């Protein structure tokens, strides 16, 4: 059986946890990364967890010839999981063309490679940002794309459209877009986790940096939303649960005879407020977070959480870890990785 899986962005936050899950499930990952938002040390973390050092190619997915040079020499590839992209909503507003260039061009090159070398399965990292500011909660996969106000979210929506068109024209590809909600946490060993460059954009790495004294204070953007405590609500999912969803998606794609395109929400289905996340972090890790409420941040939506029935029924996947576990793992990762700051 073919068991090799190309993982673009495989040294990144979600990619590295997925590489571990692939190794634990009998797949052979081949990592492609250009180190733009990751470090070579990640491979050592993967090795310490699994006892295996997967093959690694430091190349740029934007450059087709670099991808082809690697792929053409490898036999037995059953799929590509495409993580490589830029991911900051705020940065995408300032650097829109760079976001479109990296996120769209890389995807097109991945599709071209999959087509030319008959790699049947493609799993794509999409995002719940494609729902925009949803009118109904929880969001279901058959809701139309929302009004998306930032180039990052638009790039994900465009990539989904490109993949859908590719599937229509393709003879045999099985293509899956996974719409992630808000990944948090780290591997329980503390050997891999999120390594944001500079000041973190995401909430939990910010919380852990405040907890460890590397950042002074956490700003909570808005406490006047129409939610139970006035702060925004999100669907926070443990990164290892998210990684497992890729295995389920690959297994599902592998089990299909004919070409196929499908989209799945990958979340817990449980809304948690920003304030709840902070207070739970304080409780489970027994540490105080210095925070203050400030005015709302442009572009933030009030609330979003997933309906997860489709992934449960079709992929036989469900999240297993709760918020407390995620927050303990994130803090353990921070404590073990002071040297990165
Ligand atoms: N983290 C989130 O909150 C979140 C939420 C929804 C969707 N996503 C999507 O999931 C995917 C992975 O996110 P992440 O949090 O692991 O991000 P990350 O930045 O940690 O990982 C992305 C990896 O891709 C690499 N990369 C970027 N452009 C590349 C290129 N052109 N060629 C080769 N490598 C390249 C980076 O060096 C990095 O290692 C992204 O597509 C992101 O948009 C992330």
């Amino acid at each position: 059986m073919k068991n090799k899986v190309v993982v673009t962005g495989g040294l990144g936050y979600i990619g590295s946890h997925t590489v571990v899950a692939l190794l634990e499930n009998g797949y052979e990952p081949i990592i492609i990364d250009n180190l733009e938002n990751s470090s070579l040390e990640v491979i050592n973390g993967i090795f310490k967890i699994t006892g295996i050092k997967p093959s690694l190619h430091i190349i740029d997915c934007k450059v087709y010839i670099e991808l082809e040079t690697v792929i053409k020499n490898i036999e037995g590839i059953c799929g590509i999981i495409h993580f490589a992209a830029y991911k900051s909503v705020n940065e995408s507003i300032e650097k829109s063309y760079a976001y479109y260039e990296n996120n769209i061009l890389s995807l097109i090159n991945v599709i071209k490679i999959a087509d030319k070398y008959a790699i049947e399965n493609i799993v794509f990292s999409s995002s719940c940002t494609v729902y925009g500011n949803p009118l109904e909660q929880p969001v279901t996969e058959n809701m139309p794309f929302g009004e998306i106000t930032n180039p990052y979210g638009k790039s994900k929506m465009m990539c989904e459209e490109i993949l859908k068109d590719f599937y229509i024209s393709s003879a045999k590809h099985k293509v899956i877009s996974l719409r992630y909600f808000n990944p948090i946490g780290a591997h329980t060993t503390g050997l891999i986790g999120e390594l944001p460059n500079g000041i973190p954009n995401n909430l939990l790495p910010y919380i852990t940096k405040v907890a460890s004294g590397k950042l002074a204070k956490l700003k909570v953007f808005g406490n006047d939303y129409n939610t139970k405590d006035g702060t925004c609500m999100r669907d926070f999912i443990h990164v290892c649960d998210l990684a497992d969803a890729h295995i389920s998606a690959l297994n599902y794609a592998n089990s299909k005879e004919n070409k196929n395109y499908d989209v799945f929400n990958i979340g817990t289905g449980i809304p948690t407020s920003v304030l709840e996340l902070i207070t739970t972090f304080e409780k489970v890790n027994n540490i105080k977070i210095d925070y203050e409420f400030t005015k709302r941040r442009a572009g933030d939506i009030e609330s979003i959480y997933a309906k997860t029935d489709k992934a449960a029924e079709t992929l036989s996947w469900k999240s297993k870890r709760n918020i407390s576990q995620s927050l303990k793992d994130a803090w353990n990762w921070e404590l073990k990785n002071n040297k990165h700051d």
Side-chain angles (χ1 to χ4, degrees):
M1 189 189 111
K2 290 183 179 177
N3 74 335
K4 291 184 186 151
V5 180
V6 174
V7 186
T8 73
L11 292 183
Y13 174 43
I14 306 168
S16 56
H17 291 81
T18 303
V19 165
V20 168
L22 285 164
L23 288 166
E24 288 171 346
N25 283 276
Y27 286 102
E28 189 183 325
I30 295 148
I31 300 175
I32 284 176
D33 204 297
N34 66 358
L35 298 178
E36 233 182 304
N37 197 33
S38 52
S39 141
L40 277 176
E41 276 181 52
V42 175
I43 206 81
N44 297 327
I46 293 170
F47 176 69
K48 283 185 193 151
I49 295 168
T50 62
I52 301 169
K53 229 175 218 185
S55 80
L56 169 63
H57 303 270
I58 305 301
I59 58 163
D60 190 334
C61 295
K62 294 195 294 301
V63 186
Y64 176 78
I65 193 71
E66 291 190 9
L67 264 185
E68 182 158 27
T69 307
V70 170
I71 304 288
K72 72 177 181 199
N73 293 316
I74 305 173
E75 296 281 324
I77 300 175
C78 69
I80 304 183
I81 306 181
H82 181 49
F83 292 106
Y86 296 150
K87 64 168 177 178
S88 160
V89 167
N90 292 330
E91 190 185 57
S92 78
I93 296 165
E94 288 154 28
K95 299 183 183 168
S96 57
Y97 69 90
Y99 269 67
Y100 289 123
E101 183 186 38
N102 196 26
N103 295 6
I104 306 243
L105 188 52
S106 295
L107 175 83
I108 288 174
N109 286 340
V110 161
I111 290 174
K112 246 166 104 176
I113 273 290
D115 203 28
K116 182 160 179 189
Y117 292 91
I119 301 169
E120 274 188 26
N121 304 310
I122 301 175
V123 179
F124 171 66
S125 300
S126 190
S127 163
C128 64
T129 45
V130 300
Y131 293 112
N133 199 350
L135 296 173
E136 277 173 48
Q137 304 271 2
V139 289
T140 57
E141 292 86 346
N142 55 14
M143 282 169 57
F145 291 130
E147 196 184 321
I148 306 167
T149 53
N150 59 80
Y152 167 71
K154 287 182 194 168
S155 77
K156 291 293 174 189
M157 181 194 71
M158 289 174 195
C159 286
E160 284 199 21
E161 292 289 13
I162 291 167
L163 284 166
K164 216 188 305 169
D165 287 344
F166 170 63
Y167 140 78
I168 290 166
S169 62
S170 130
K172 55 174 178 250
H173 288 88
K174 280 106 31 129
V175 183
I176 294 179
S177 293
L178 298 181
R179 292 180 180 159
Y180 311 157
F181 280 66
N182 288 71
I184 58 169
H187 197 269
T188 313
T189 56
L191 291 166
I192 53 171
E194 189 166 7
L195 270 180
N197 269 341
I199 307 259
N201 278 304
N202 288 345
L203 177 62
L204 190 53
Y206 211 109
I207 292 177
T208 57
K209 295 277 175 266
V210 172
S212 60
K214 289 180 202 117
L215 290 172
K217 201 175 231 183
L218 172 71
K219 283 187 180 147
V220 177
F221 299 110
N223 62 344
D224 57 351
Y225 286 99
N226 186 23
T227 59
K228 58 184 171 187
D229 58 24
T231 64
C232 291
M233 308 280 288
R234 295 288 179 270
D235 184 336
F236 296 103
I237 174 167
H238 195 294
V239 66
C240 292
D241 281 335
L242 183 51
D244 290 343
H246 294 80
I247 309 303
S248 304
L250 261 186
N251 291 344
Y252 169 72
N254 265 326
S255 73
K256 290 261 154 203
E257 283 291 315
N258 299 320
K259 70 175 185 170
N260 183 255
Y261 178 71
D262 228 328
V263 177
F264 297 94
N265 283 343
I266 304 296
T268 62
I270 302 166
T272 302
S273 78
V274 168
L275 194 55
E276 275 174 327
L277 195 80
I278 298 167
T279 53
T280 311
F281 182 92
E282 293 183 317
K283 197 167 136 211
V284 298
N285 293 313
N286 198 20
I287 188 161
K288 283 306 282 176
I289 300 296
D290 196 3
Y291 66 89
E292 64 180 354
F293 296 114
T294 62
K295 62 181 184 355
R296 293 180 182 196
R297 184 171 60 177
D300 279 348
I301 58 165
E302 184 166 280
S303 171
I304 187 159
Y305 64 101
K307 182 116 175 119
T308 57
D309 298 18
K310 189 176 171 195
E313 281 155 23
T314 312
L315 303 180
S316 306
W317 172 89
K318 245 182 166 337
S319 67
K320 297 189 193 111
R321 297 154 179 96
N322 61 20
I323 290 284
S324 298
Q325 184 68 53
S326 303
L327 298 174
K328 282 185 201 158
D329 290 340
W331 183 228
N332 181 39
W333 161 246
E334 173 67 26
L335 291 176
K336 287 196 169 142
N337 286 277
N338 285 329
K339 60 182 187 298
H340 289 298
D341 298 289

